[in-house]
Structure formats: structure tokens, C-alpha cells
């Protein structure tokens, strides 16, 4: 089937040079002079109008094709993928890292806590939830709930965290393994209701903190469990940020298991579309069952794949640990043997008045000190029952 470009080329080839230049370079030029100078048999044939033909071509296209034709940057905009496509990529566990409680990012967070007079327990819970492993998918909610409670109690009394703990547990992960963030950390609905004057600036500062976390730790996959959309007159009224839309999901996106991209300061993350687990809790039984089945399927597929890869990687690390432990053990034992031989040689030489000018006694004293340390290492490297790797 001929494309619009083919039609243009063929039509231009059929025109005389002068007519072609007018049609190509000045499509708005009146065609009357060209018709008057054309051969008699061509005067009844209207000259080719590229804009008219392009319009007619658009009219025959499907909506998707039309959007491509009208958007010159279409090919440069990556289309959202799917969870299935994401899982086909190699899941890499090289250079495993866990966010630590003393990371400088929490100094930045503490300043915001003090700036807005937020509770210390809320800060501690924020830190605990964030201290997961950066190589695994992180989970992004909108804002915290019940964060004034002690951590374990907060988890059990918050539907979302309790549900999450069960679902992650089914795949082999603990809550502490996974980074859990909010668009607006440490800002509960209650605080926003009671601090209307500070609300917009606080929302901005906390969202910037979330962006800083994503960029600093180069999070590879983000499961968006919120469909944030500011509503007139609501707690988030008038708040806007250029990157906010790239981190939100939708119910349709969740149903289709859509994966989009988030690009911030040259770091690109995959965003898996989900929705807030509590969304289905307030619907009728059948609807809730269907919606939660979709969300659970997404979590099982994504975290199940990472859990399987993690188990394989743990097995590799345990094997390497065993091999290196054996190498260190045998090296220490060999060194012990050589030191004993050296001591015997030294004693034999002294009996024959050799080595009188050698300061070997200091070497042996130093060795005895080192031997005590190496003996401790050797005891720790004694064969033990296989143990689970703690990342």
C-alpha cells in the first residue's frame, strides 16, 4: 500500500519543473498562472496541492495512525510497556545495596521534620520503611497513615501495610526487604487539614524529598500504588509539579499491567502501574474481589520473579562464601605450617652458631601475635551448617 510520502513523490515527478517548485516551495501560491502555461490537455487537470492531499490522507487513517502522522516526535517517545515485557529483561543483583538508617538522606528529612513540627515517631517510621534493598522494586503510596504509632502496631492497624506484609510474604520477601515510599512522606491527612497555610510548601518540599530518594539511590523499578489527582477544594488543591504525573498510575493502567518510564536527572526508572490496596476495600464484595485479584497478580508476578532470582543469587553467594572461606582457611593453615618450619630452621641454625646477626627473634614474636589473631579467624571459619544469607 502506497504511503503518503509515495503519493507526494509520484505527484511531484509528474509536474513540470516550474510547477513543481511552486507546489513544493510555495503551496499557497495561486495555481492560475501555472494552468495558463500548461499544455492544453493538462489545463483541465488541477495541480497537485500537497496540503490538500495530506489532509485527505489523514481522513483515511485510523486514529492511532493519525496521531503518529500529526506528531513529528512520535517515534522519539517510548510507548509504555507491560509487566510481561519488563520481566523479560535480566534482573541484575550485582552490587546489592540496602539503605542504612544513617544515610545522609535522613539528615535532609530530619530538617523537614523540624521545619514543619512533625512527630518523631512519624520520622522513625518513614526511615524504617525506606531502609530496604535498592535493587528490588520499591512501592510508592501517596502519604502515610497511623504513623504516630510504633512501627509494628502501625503495620497491623493499617490495612495497606498489613495487606502488603502478607502479599510480600507469599513471594518470599519481608516488609523490611522492600523500600516503601510516599509521594508526600511524613504528611498525614490530619496534618494537612490542621496546617492549611503551610500545606502547599510542605507538599512541595516532601515531594522533592521523594524525588531526591529516587535519584540518589537510582531505584530501578517503582510500583505506583496511587492515582494522585489534586481536586478543587481538597487537601492537595493547587499543588502541581512537573514530575508528579510520571509517578501516578491509573486503574486502567493497573488492569493492563502497564509499565511506563520515569526520567529524572538522567536516571530512568520503570513505573509499574498499580493502585492503592485500600481502594478495593471500600467497594462491594465482588468488585473488591476482582480488583484485589488484579493487584495481587501484579505483585505476585513482579516480586515473585525477583524472589526467584534472589534465591538463585543467594545460592551463588553461599557457594562463593564457602569457597573463599576454604581458601582462607587453607592459606592460614599453610602459613602456620611454614612458620613452624621456619622456627625449626632458625633453632637448628642457632645451634650451629648461624643467624647470630639476624634479628629473627622479632619476626617470630610478631608471628606469635599474628598467629593468635589468625587462630580466631580460623575458628570462625570452621565448617558450619549452611545458613541463609542476610542481605
Amino acid at each position: 500500500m502506497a504511503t503518503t510520502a509515495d503519493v507526494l513523490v509520484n505527484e511531484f515527478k509528474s509536474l513540470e519543473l516550474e510547477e513543481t517548485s511552486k507546489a513544493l516551495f510555495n503551496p499557497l501560491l495561486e495555481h492560475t498562472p501555472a494552468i495558463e502555461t500548461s499544455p492544453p490537455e493538462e489545463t483541465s487537470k488541477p495541480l497537485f496541492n500537497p496540503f490538500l492531499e495530506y489532509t485527505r490522507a489523514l481522513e483515511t487513517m485510523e486514529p492511532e495512525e493519525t496521531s503518529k502522522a500529526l506528531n513529528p516526535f512520535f517515534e522519539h517517545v517510548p510507548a509504555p510497556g507491560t509487566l510481561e515485557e519488563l520481566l523479560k529483561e535480566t534482573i541484575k543483583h550485582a552490587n546489592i545495596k540496602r539503605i542504612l538508617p544513617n544515610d545522609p538522606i535522613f539528615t535532609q528529612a530530619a530538617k523537614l521534620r523540624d521545619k514543619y513540627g512533625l512527630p518523631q515517631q512519624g520520622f522513625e517510621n518513614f526511615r524504617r520503611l525506606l531502609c530496604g534493598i535498592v535493587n528490588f522494586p520499591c512501592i510508592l503510596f501517596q502519604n502515610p497513615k497511623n504513623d504516630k504509632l510504633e512501627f509494628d502496631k502501625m503495620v497491623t492497624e493499617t490495612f495497606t501495610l498489613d495487606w502488603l506484609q502478607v502479599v510480600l510474604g507469599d513471594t518470599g520477601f519481608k516488609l523490611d526487604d522492600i523500600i516503601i515510599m510516599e509521594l508526600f512522606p511524613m504528611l498525614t491527612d490530619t496534618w494537612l487539614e490542621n496546617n492549611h497555610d503551610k500545606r502547599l510548601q510542605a507538599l512541595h518540599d516532601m515531594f522533592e524529598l521523594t524525588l531526591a530518594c529516587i535519584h540518589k539511590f537510582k531505584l530501578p523499578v517503582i510500583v505506583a500504588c496511587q492515582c494522585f489527582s489534586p481536586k478543587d477544594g481538597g487537601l492537595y488543591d493547587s499543588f502541581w509539579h512537573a514530575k508528579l504525573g510520571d509517578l501516578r498510575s491509573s486503574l486502567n493502567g493497573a488492569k493492563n499491567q502497564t509499565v511506563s518510564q520515569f526520567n529524572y536527572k538522567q536516571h530512568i526508572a520503570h513505573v509499574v502501574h498499580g493502585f492503592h490496596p485500600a481502594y478495593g476495600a471500600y467497594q462491594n464484595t465482588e468488585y473488591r474481589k476482582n480488583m484485589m485479584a488484579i493487584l495481587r497478580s501484579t505483585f505476585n508476578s513482579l516480586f515473585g520473579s525477583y524472589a526467584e532470582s534472589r534465591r538463585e543469587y543467594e545460592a551463588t553467594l553461599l557457594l562463593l562464601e564457602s569457597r573463599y572461606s576454604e581458601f582462607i582457611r587453607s592459606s592460614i593453615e599453610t602459613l602456620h605450617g611454614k612458620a613452624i618450619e621456619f622456627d625449626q630452621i632458625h633453632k637448628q641454625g642457632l645451634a650451629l652458631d648461624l643467624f647470630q646477626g639476624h634479628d629473627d627473634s622479632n619476626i617470630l614474636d610478631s608471628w606469635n601475635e599474628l598467629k593468635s589473631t589468625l587462630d580466631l579467624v580460623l575458628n570462625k571459619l570452621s565448617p558450619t551448617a549452611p545458613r541463609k544469607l542476610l542481605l
Side-chain angles (χ1 to χ4, degrees), residues 48-333:
F48 176 69
N49 184 337
F51 287 100
L52 179 61
E53 293 299 321
Y54 186 61
T55 302
R56 290 173 179 169
L58 290 177
E59 291 174 351
T60 63
M61 292 180 181
E62 294 295 326
E64 182 179 358
E65 295 174 333
T66 303
S67 65
K68 292 180 181 180
L70 291 173
N71 183 1
F73 304 103
F74 185 87
E75 297 299 330
H76 301 286
V77 180
T82 63
L83 181 60
E84 182 180 2
E85 293 171 351
L86 175 64
L87 294 178
K88 288 179 181 178
E89 298 183 4
T90 302
I91 300 175
K92 299 179 180 179
H93 287 323
N95 196 21
I96 292 287
K97 292 182 180 179
R98 180 186 285 275
I99 299 176
L100 300 177
N102 61 349
D103 191 277
I105 196 72
F106 296 115
T107 301
Q108 181 180 346
K111 291 179 180 178
L112 292 177
R113 173 203 61 198
D114 296 340
K115 178 179 179 179
Y116 294 108
L118 300 169
Q120 177 64 21
Q121 187 61 54
F123 171 79
E124 295 297 340
N125 289 334
F126 157 73
R127 176 160 54 185
R128 173 78 178 269
L129 290 172
L130 195 64
C131 285
I133 299 171
V134 300
N135 307 70
F136 301 143
C138 76
I139 302 170
L140 180 65
F141 294 113
Q142 182 169 306
N143 65 319
K145 184 178 182 180
N146 298 329
D147 72 340
K148 289 185 178 180
L149 301 176
E150 182 272 331
F151 183 82
D152 291 336
K153 190 173 183 180
M154 178 186 70
V155 171
T156 57
E157 294 194 12
T158 305
F159 172 84
T160 299
L161 294 176
D162 186 54
W163 179 88
L164 198 58
Q165 184 169 239
V166 173
V167 173
L168 290 176
D170 290 343
T171 64
F173 282 109
K174 302 188 299 293
L175 208 59
D176 285 335
D177 291 330
I178 304 302
I179 295 171
I180 300 174
M181 303 190 303
E182 290 100 4
L183 287 177
F184 311 106
M186 298 184 284
L187 296 182
T188 62
D189 286 352
T190 301
W191 189 92
L192 292 171
E193 289 171 355
N194 296 332
N195 295 270
H196 191 269
D197 293 342
K198 302 177 183 178
R199 179 180 57 86
L200 281 180
Q201 187 59 49
L203 289 172
H204 174 81
D205 289 346
M206 293 305 182
F207 185 66
E208 287 289 344
L209 176 63
T210 295
L211 292 179
C213 290
I214 295 173
H215 181 260
K216 174 180 173 62
F217 301 115
K218 300 296 185 289
L219 303 180
V221 178
I222 301 170
V223 185
C225 290
Q226 44 73 36
C227 306
F228 178 79
S229 180
K231 296 180 180 179
D232 294 338
L235 296 177
Y236 303 90
D237 180 36
S238 301
F239 177 75
W240 181 88
H241 193 287
K243 286 297 176 182
L244 189 59
D246 295 340
L247 287 172
R248 72 183 298 271
S249 59
S250 66
L251 289 177
N252 284 335
K255 290 177 182 178
N256 296 323
Q257 295 189 321
T258 299
V259 177
S260 55
Q261 284 189 339
F262 174 76
N263 191 333
Y264 181 66
K265 293 184 178 180
Q266 299 183 337
H267 169 63
I268 297 177
H270 297 291
V271 178
V272 178
H273 289 228
F275 56 87
H276 200 286
Y279 176 82
Y282 303 109
Q283 311 299 326
N284 65 66
T285 304
E286 189 62 28
Y287 183 80
R288 178 181 184 276
K289 180 180 178 181
N290 293 336
M291 294 301 296
M292 297 308 286
I294 292 172
L295 189 60
R296 183 180 286 270
S297 173
T298 296
F299 271 77
N300 287 343
S301 297
L302 179 62
F303 288 97
S305 296
Y306 271 84
E308 181 179 355
S309 178
R310 173 185 178 169
R311 286 189 289 271
E312 294 174 357
Y313 188 61
E314 284 182 339
T316 300
L317 290 179
L318 287 170
L319 179 61
L320 289 174
E321 182 199 40
S322 176
R323 289 178 178 176
Y324 275 85
S325 295
E326 180 58 34
F327 173 77
I328 293 172
R329 182 186 299 109
S330 62
S331 297
I332 292 175
E333 291 174 348

